[in-house]
Amino acid sequence: MVVMENEKITHPAPPLELQKPPEPELRQPVMINVNDVDFCYGTHQVLFDVNLEIPPRAVTAFIGPSGCGKTTLLRCFNRMNDLIDGARISAGSIRMEGRDIHAPEVDVVDLRRRVGMVFQKSNPFPKSIYENVAYGLRVLGVNKKSQINEAVEKSLRASALWDEVKDRLDSSAYGLSGGQQQRLCIARALAVEPEVILMDEPCSALDPIATAKVEELIYQLRENFTIVIVTHNMQQAGRCSNYTAFFYLGRLIEFGATSKIFSNPSERQTEDYITGRFG
Amino acid sequence: MKIRTRNRIAQTTAFWLFRFATYAILAAATYIFLDIGIKGSRTLFTTRAPFINVPFFTQGPQTLFVFDYEGKKYTLSDREFRAWKTEHPVEVEATSVAYSAGGVWPCIVGTALLVVGSMIFALAVGICSAIYLNEYSQNTRFIRLIRIAILNLAGVPSIVFGLFGFGLFVIFLHWNVSLLAGWLTLGLMILPAIITASEESLRAVPNGLREGSLALGATKWQTIRKNVLPYAVPGILTSSILGIGRVAGETAPIMFTAAYALRDEMPWQVQRWTDFVFQGVMALPYHIYVVSSKIPQNEYTERMQYGAACILLLLVFAIALASIVLRERTRRHLSW
């Protein structure tokens, strides 16, 4: 993990045209490989034959109307759906760096360490700011004070929160503002040094200024992490993602470089959704 | 206009009905507490320093002897009467009233032991099964059956628990009338309440905390231990207060399993420490039952009845207060 410079955020995230995704087409290597995935909640199928290759060290956005299955797919990547009774992948496989993450020999605890997640509703623990960030290390069995101190500072700096909280690390995380809480959750996820970070509508409960800060953060983190973000906000997808996948009624309609999806989508449905004709 | 008037009358009537029902509770509670408190305080307190009836708190129950001697009326306890007789070697015609002199110290100790033991048992088993039911189990037919069993257990009358404990622990397992049999019987009696309340408290912990913890690579057990259970403890403690009140006050479950009407030794006066759990004890609710219905009533018996009842109330208050303080201490560290 690389520590970001502590620059003050004075401008919103860069506008769409300033972002030049590395290449318009996808190439190797692939971080997460989704092959022909069908997904069911009990007898209710919500994903149909999804194929997707998520590239490493880039931001991939999932967009689409409510109920289109984008959050379900996201929660497959760290097997959070295991917690739901009757939820299962009924066909196909999801591979991370070539290995099937739903194979029986996969240690789900280790998988979740490698694939961090930030939730829609920020959920800091009712502990101090410090303990929130240290939690992931403690459950991994790290007990050395110096090591934890170092990781907490590094994560808080990386999530651009350090300057705001360095004087009150021992006060409750519930005293932070909504945006700070969400960035604390990101810091908490960074502390265990994951490879992938999943974000489930991380800004849906934030005001525009807090949103801008989180987006800026996402934009910076992309240099070191593979980020998958679910969002309802198409401007957000345009501002901070390199690739965009558009889902509709459980199917992946289109996937490609964000600039292409937003300027010149090849599917009619994508164009209709992006231009606001429906959804 | 007419409808409006009728609505207003209906509303006022309903409102006064609710208000009356609430005040009726208050009146009943006040009457009970005042009655027990006033009559009990005649036993608990004295008019001379130190104003507290020390023997009542430090002695076991004794027989009361009432007699007239040289124009003076004496009411002496067993011990005092024997001392008096050695000083006055004369024949006196004394009326004896069982249990009505002395105090309730062994009963207080016995009740405290019963409460502590059975609460430890019930909380341990109850919290474990609540964690299993709420955090681990899936909603299968078998689990639904267990839930129905718990509900049924909650509806079983306490005398049935007493008979069950008598049959299983006292007779079948040869534990005799013992603390252990009483602990398990009382513990089983309040187990459904503890399980239900613990489950309620666990369910009140936001799901986001569980998901957040799991997503960081914590195991399920780490999540429960570090990020769910600590936040459920205040709620569990609150609900166990009710359990304490029931355990301390129930007579039926212990009358066959743990309680003696009279025992001269204190619980710690046992030969071997292993005998500790296999001894019967005196207990306040059973003592109240004995002195109010098992002995002939007269003007001298009231003292012990109200004294013991008042102590029982105070004891339950004290334990409840302790758990409230404990709960507030625990809660101060958390806030969401």
Side-chain angles (χ1 to χ4, degrees), chain B residues 256-267:
Chain B
F256 309 125
T257 55
Y260 284 151
L262 189 62
R263 184 166 179 245
D264 288 332
E265 298 91 38
M266 293 301 286

Side-chain angles (χ1 to χ4, degrees), chain B residues 321-333:
Chain B
L321 199 68
S323 12
I324 291 173
V325 170
L326 194 65
R327 179 187 71 191
E328 292 307 318
R329 281 241 180 118
T330 334
R331 193 176 274 174
R332 209 172 304 153
H333 299 297

